[in-house]
Amino acid sequence: MTVVYVASSKLPTPMGEFRLHGFEDPDTGQEHVAITMGDVTGGGTVLCRVHSECLTGDALFSMRCDCGSQLRAALERIAAEGRGIILYLRQEGRGIGLINKIRAYELQDQGADTVEANERLGFDADLRDYTMCKSMFAHFQIEHIRLMTNNPVKVNALTKLGITIEERISIETGHNDHNARYLATKAGKLGHLFGKE
């Protein structure tokens, strides 16, 4: 999937002033954004997070996941360093969409874990696509990143796109009683690396 740059604007936040950059897939109309601070274009290694949209966690403060707290932690770390980028990808629910995510939550309420719920709905555990990242990084001439993630699949996907990951930075935050099983499933079934740099 190739996306094209559309527009940029200031994005003032409690963590500092960022810039918001819009990208669009010309074939599907699907939209993604990059959030930057400082000059990230064409020089050196850039602190980065690739974050998939999570309406429930990012905007509604859900404690069922760690997504919103990871996004905030990434913004705070970039603000502290004064330079970095977040690629915010519009692929809710690890790619299954918002309504199917709510259906998956309903199954989790009945005892399924996050992987089992997706599979019962007929989906793979993770349907996310990272190919749009290549054209987003290319827009900023970024080739080398320090990636904030616990997900080795994301590391491998970006590496295959030609992005050099100089460092993987663990981003562990937002643990609570409501998401303990979810985080255990991410580690046990999806291979996420908690407690490891």
Side-chain angles (χ1 to χ4, degrees), residues 35-130:
I35 305 161
T36 63
M37 179 177 277
D39 184 6
V40 298
T41 301
T45 302
V46 179
L47 180 62
C48 174
R49 173 152 177 84
V50 174
H51 187 91
S52 294
E53 179 180 43
C54 176
L55 176 72
T56 51
D58 297 343
L60 301 179
F61 316 108
S62 172
M63 296 173 69
R64 296 185 76 131
C65 64
D66 56 346
C67 304
S69 59
Q70 284 185 324
L71 178 60
R72 184 174 186 93
L75 288 165
E76 289 172 347
R77 182 155 188 167
I78 288 169
E81 293 198 12
R83 180 174 182 263
I85 185 169
I86 295 172
L87 301 188
Y88 192 90
L89 310 179
R90 307 292 303 282
Q91 42 190 1
E92 182 77 45
R94 293 198 302 276
I96 67 174
L98 181 59
I99 298 303
N100 282 321
K101 179 180 179 179
I102 296 170
R103 290 184 176 119
Y105 276 172
E106 184 176 40
L107 291 171
Q108 290 171 45
D109 290 343
Q110 298 166 11
D113 67 33
T114 184
V115 171
E116 292 165 348
N118 277 23
E119 290 172 345
R120 287 185 196 174
L121 292 172
F123 300 109
D124 287 338
D126 193 338
L127 294 175
R128 287 177 293 184
D129 175 14
Y130 298 104

